[in-house]
Amino acid sequence: MSLHSDSSGSPVAALVVGGIFMAFGLPGILRTRKLRRTGASAVGQVVDIRRSLSDGGTPVYSPVVIWQTPDGRQHEYSPSEYSSSKSRFRVGTHLTIYYDPADPDRRPKLKGAVGNSLNWSLTVAGAVAICLGLADLVLAHR
Protein backbone atom coordinates (compact mmCIF):
# COMPACT_ATOMS: atom_id res chain seq x y z
CA MET A 1 0.00 0.00 0.00
CA SER A 2 2.52 2.54 -1.16
CA LEU A 3 1.40 6.13 -1.41
CA HIS A 4 3.14 6.42 -4.77
CA SER A 5 2.03 3.20 -6.41
CA ASP A 6 1.43 3.05 -10.13
CA SER A 7 -1.19 0.33 -9.74
CA SER A 8 -4.74 1.64 -9.86
CA GLY A 9 -5.91 -1.43 -7.90
CA SER A 10 -3.83 -0.58 -4.83
CA PRO A 11 -6.02 2.25 -3.47
CA VAL A 12 -9.17 0.22 -4.02
CA ALA A 13 -7.60 -2.83 -2.36
CA ALA A 14 -6.58 -0.70 0.62
CA LEU A 15 -10.11 0.68 0.92
CA VAL A 16 -11.66 -2.79 0.71
CA VAL A 17 -9.24 -4.33 3.21
CA GLY A 18 -9.71 -1.37 5.55
CA GLY A 19 -13.47 -1.66 5.29
CA ILE A 20 -13.37 -5.39 6.06
CA PHE A 21 -11.12 -4.86 9.10
CA MET A 22 -13.39 -2.12 10.40
CA ALA A 23 -16.49 -4.25 9.77
CA PHE A 24 -15.07 -6.88 12.12
CA GLY A 25 -13.63 -4.56 14.78
CA LEU A 26 -15.99 -1.60 15.08
CA PRO A 27 -19.19 -3.48 16.04
CA GLY A 28 -17.43 -5.07 19.02
CA ILE A 29 -16.15 -1.70 20.21
CA LEU A 30 -19.59 -0.11 19.87
CA ARG A 31 -21.28 -2.99 21.70
CA THR A 32 -18.84 -2.77 24.60
CA ARG A 33 -19.26 1.02 24.80
CA LYS A 34 -23.06 0.66 24.77
CA LEU A 35 -22.97 -1.96 27.53
CA ARG A 36 -20.75 0.27 29.65
CA ARG A 37 -23.02 3.27 29.08
CA THR A 38 -26.52 1.75 29.29
CA GLY A 39 -26.02 -1.76 30.68
CA ALA A 40 -25.28 -3.06 34.12
CA SER A 41 -22.10 -4.44 35.60
CA ALA A 42 -21.31 -7.11 38.13
CA VAL A 43 -18.19 -8.59 39.63
CA GLY A 44 -17.78 -12.21 38.69
CA GLN A 45 -15.32 -14.85 39.77
CA VAL A 46 -13.24 -17.11 37.54
CA VAL A 47 -14.21 -20.68 38.52
CA ASP A 48 -12.46 -22.60 35.76
CA ILE A 49 -10.17 -22.20 32.76
CA ARG A 50 -11.28 -23.85 29.51
CA ARG A 51 -8.48 -25.10 27.30
CA SER A 52 -8.93 -25.78 23.61
CA LEU A 53 -6.73 -25.89 20.55
CA SER A 54 -6.63 -23.19 17.89
CA ASP A 55 -6.84 -24.11 14.21
CA GLY A 56 -3.04 -24.17 14.22
CA GLY A 57 -2.91 -26.57 17.17
CA THR A 58 -1.81 -23.94 19.72
CA PRO A 59 -3.46 -24.25 23.14
CA VAL A 60 -5.77 -21.32 23.93
CA TYR A 61 -7.55 -20.54 27.19
CA SER A 62 -10.82 -18.90 28.19
CA PRO A 63 -12.00 -18.14 31.72
CA VAL A 64 -15.32 -19.47 32.97
CA VAL A 65 -16.84 -16.65 35.02
CA ILE A 66 -19.78 -17.01 37.45
CA TRP A 67 -21.65 -13.83 38.34
CA GLN A 68 -25.00 -12.73 39.79
CA THR A 69 -27.63 -10.21 38.80
CA PRO A 70 -29.16 -8.05 41.58
CA ASP A 71 -32.15 -10.43 41.79
CA GLY A 72 -29.76 -13.19 42.91
CA ARG A 73 -29.81 -15.24 39.70
CA GLN A 74 -26.46 -16.81 38.90
CA HIS A 75 -25.02 -16.69 35.38
CA GLU A 76 -22.02 -18.32 33.74
CA TYR A 77 -20.01 -16.79 30.95
CA SER A 78 -17.00 -17.95 29.00
CA PRO A 79 -15.95 -15.49 26.31
CA SER A 80 -15.38 -16.68 22.78
CA GLU A 81 -12.21 -14.57 22.67
CA TYR A 82 -9.25 -16.58 23.83
CA SER A 83 -5.81 -15.95 25.22
CA SER A 84 -2.76 -17.97 24.32
CA SER A 85 -1.54 -17.45 27.86
CA LYS A 86 -3.01 -19.56 30.66
CA SER A 87 -1.52 -17.21 33.25
CA ARG A 88 -3.69 -14.34 31.99
CA PHE A 89 -6.58 -15.91 33.95
CA ARG A 90 -6.47 -17.51 37.39
CA VAL A 91 -9.21 -19.43 39.19
CA GLY A 92 -10.51 -17.23 42.00
CA THR A 93 -9.78 -13.94 40.21
CA HIS A 94 -12.57 -11.38 40.29
CA LEU A 95 -13.48 -9.73 36.98
CA THR A 96 -15.96 -7.02 36.03
CA ILE A 97 -18.58 -8.13 33.55
CA TYR A 98 -20.89 -5.82 31.58
CA TYR A 99 -24.31 -7.12 30.58
CA ASP A 100 -27.75 -6.14 29.31
CA PRO A 101 -30.15 -6.24 32.32
CA ALA A 102 -33.03 -7.21 30.02
CA ASP A 103 -31.11 -10.30 28.80
CA PRO A 104 -28.06 -10.95 31.01
CA ASP A 105 -26.93 -14.06 29.12
CA ARG A 106 -26.92 -12.36 25.71
CA ARG A 107 -23.31 -11.56 24.84
CA PRO A 108 -21.96 -10.07 28.07
CA LYS A 109 -18.45 -8.61 27.96
CA LEU A 110 -15.55 -8.85 30.36
CA LYS A 111 -13.74 -5.64 31.21
CA GLY A 112 -10.34 -5.73 29.54
CA ALA A 113 -11.09 -8.95 27.65
CA VAL A 114 -8.86 -10.24 24.87
CA GLY A 115 -11.53 -9.48 22.26
CA ASN A 116 -11.54 -5.79 23.18
CA SER A 117 -7.88 -5.48 22.17
CA LEU A 118 -8.52 -7.41 18.98
CA ASN A 119 -11.49 -5.18 18.10
CA TRP A 120 -9.39 -2.06 18.62
CA SER A 121 -6.48 -3.49 16.60
CA LEU A 122 -8.74 -4.39 13.68
CA THR A 123 -10.45 -1.00 13.74
CA VAL A 124 -7.19 0.97 13.86
CA ALA A 125 -5.62 -1.17 11.12
CA GLY A 126 -8.75 -0.68 9.02
CA ALA A 127 -8.71 3.07 9.52
CA VAL A 128 -5.02 3.24 8.55
CA ALA A 129 -5.66 1.16 5.40
CA ILE A 130 -8.58 3.40 4.44
CA CYS A 131 -6.49 6.55 4.98
CA LEU A 132 -3.67 5.12 2.84
CA GLY A 133 -6.15 4.16 0.12
CA LEU A 134 -7.73 7.61 0.13
CA ALA A 135 -4.31 9.27 0.04
CA ASP A 136 -3.34 7.07 -2.94
CA LEU A 137 -6.55 8.06 -4.75
CA VAL A 138 -5.97 11.76 -4.12
CA LEU A 139 -2.33 11.61 -5.23
CA ALA A 140 -3.22 9.54 -8.32
CA HIS A 141 -5.63 12.25 -9.49
CA ARG A 142 -3.21 15.16 -9.15
Side-chain angles (χ1 to χ4, degrees):
M1 284 187 276
S2 165
L3 286 177
H4 301 292
S5 109
D6 293 332
S7 167
S8 62
S10 179
V12 173
L15 293 171
V16 169
V17 168
I20 291 170
F21 277 26
M22 288 188 77
F24 280 100
L26 196 55
I29 291 171
L30 296 176
R31 173 151 176 73
T32 300
R33 290 177 62 101
K34 181 180 178 186
L35 279 176
R36 285 182 183 168
R37 194 177 61 252
T38 64
S41 66
V43 175
Q45 184 173 8
V46 177
V47 295
D48 194 14
I49 307 294
R50 288 194 180 135
R51 180 185 184 272
S52 60
L53 295 176
S54 70
D55 292 340
T58 304
V60 290
Y61 305 91
S62 181
V64 178
V65 181
I66 299 291
W67 54 282
Q68 287 186 350
T69 51
D71 61 7
R73 289 186 300 147
Q74 187 167 305
H75 300 267
E76 180 180 301
Y77 175 61
S78 184
S80 59
E81 301 93 9
Y82 296 95
S83 171
S84 60
S85 171
K86 186 176 184 178
S87 64
R88 176 172 164 87
F89 310 108
R90 286 206 159 68
V91 172
T93 302
H94 290 90
L95 302 172
T96 300
I97 190 163
Y98 299 104
Y99 66 95
D100 178 352
D103 190 0
D105 293 315
R106 184 177 173 268
R107 298 173 52 196
K109 287 288 203 179
L110 291 176
K111 181 179 182 179
V114 175
N116 296 335
S117 300
L118 179 61
N119 288 333
W120 275 103
S121 297
L122 287 170
T123 301
V124 169
V128 168
I130 287 172
C131 288
L132 290 173
L134 289 173
D136 264 356
L137 285 174
V138 168
L139 292 175
H141 288 91
R142 285 186 134 189

